[in-house]
Amino acid sequence: RMSSLAALVATLAAPVMTWYLEPAGESWKVIAFLAVIIYWRHRENIVRIATGKESKIGKKKDAAPPDAGKSAG
């Protein structure tokens, strides 16, 4: 139940499906290039997914301490 994993799978599927639907076209190359950029920009998320540290849908983050965000002064 990780939305980031679903997004990465969809990103990987996009150039494949584009090539499948239009094998003679060149647009799949552009989409594949964009997919590489997306994977590069999200490499930290990929590491968190691989290590099981990525947050899941519906799971709340740990609450911040009561004085968090207050300035001293």
Side-chain angles (χ1 to χ4, degrees):
R1 297 194 63 189
M2 289 183 268
S3 65
S4 55
L5 179 60
L8 290 170
V9 170
T11 301
L12 189 61
V16 174
M17 289 305 299
T18 303
W19 176 81
Y20 177 76
L21 294 172
E22 191 182 347
E26 298 292 319
S27 58
W28 72 270
K29 293 177 184 178
V30 175
I31 295 171
F33 177 73
L34 293 173
V36 168
I37 292 172
I38 290 169
Y39 269 77
W40 177 255
R41 295 287 309 247
H42 290 87
R43 61 191 181 273
E44 292 177 7
N45 285 21
I46 295 168
V47 170
R48 285 195 303 266
I49 290 169
T51 60
K53 295 179 181 176
E54 182 70 8
S55 60
K56 295 182 175 43
I57 296 173
K59 182 180 178 186
K60 294 188 179 189
K61 293 182 179 181
D62 294 335
D67 61 344
K70 293 183 182 177
S71 62

